Amino acid sequence: MILYNMPSSGNSYKVRLLMALTGQKADLVDVEYGDPALNAAKAALPFGKAPVLVLVDGTHLAESNAILWHLAQGTAFWPSETLAQAQALSWMFWEQNQHEGVIAVRAALRTYPHRAAQATPERLAALLEQGNALLQIMEDHLSNRDWLVGNAASIADICLYAYTHSAETRGGYDLTPYPAIRAWLDRVAALPGYASL
Ligand SMILES: N[C@@H](CCC(=O)N[C@@H](CS)C(=O)NCC(=O)O)C(=O)O
């Protein structure tokens, strides 16, 4: 397999992390912002974005969470019960339509030079408030359980881990008020085979 991978991106990291945890391998083609390789690769990216996983039959699979689902089949990271599967998908859809659009965007505004002009104090303040409300949802859910779904790590955890674990360092969020999230981040980082960003 080949993974079109943006090294700085949580969406690409979540795929690399699941591959590391499940012992799956792909050749990486790095396509970073500002690197001509990104534009050169656009034709290979169905939606123009990374990550894209090229399967052994040549299929180009886009969208990080769809890639996680594909790679998780037959592993412990995809729950066996139908309801637990649906609950994992709930978190993964929420990550894309709520969490990523706030917490990853705040990190992008603070760290990518090409986004700096959009990083107005008002926008950063709004994203801080919205992000804290999202983190509180995770905190409440994790306050009486180890994993987002069921009793084991699933792709819901890998998905949410990507941008939550860098929320402080890149996003400028303070995780001190979220002890359950911090303990959960430590649990993910302790999984056998874990790979850092
Ligand atoms: N929903 C997509 C988002 C993919 C996405 O936005 N990728 C960004 C990096 S995080 C990208 O490739 N940007 C390149 C560009 O816009 O030219 C996913 O989860 O894979």
Side-chain angles (χ1 to χ4, degrees), residues 102 106 120-132 173:
V102 173
R106 195 170 198 273
T120 62
E122 296 76 17
R123 187 149 185 219
L124 290 174
L127 290 169
L128 187 63
E129 187 179 342
Q130 291 162 18
N132 277 316
Y173 295 90

Side-chain angles (χ1 to χ4, degrees), residues 6 9-12 14 33 38 42 45 48-51 62-65 95-96 100 112 163:
M6 184 176 286
S9 149
N11 285 320
S12 289
K14 62 176 85 152
Y33 284 121
L38 177 57
K42 285 281 179 177
L45 311 177
K49 308 276 185 189
E63 286 294 325
S64 58
N65 290 349
E95 186 260 358
Q96 284 287 296
E100 199 240 23
Y112 288 135
Y163 287 109

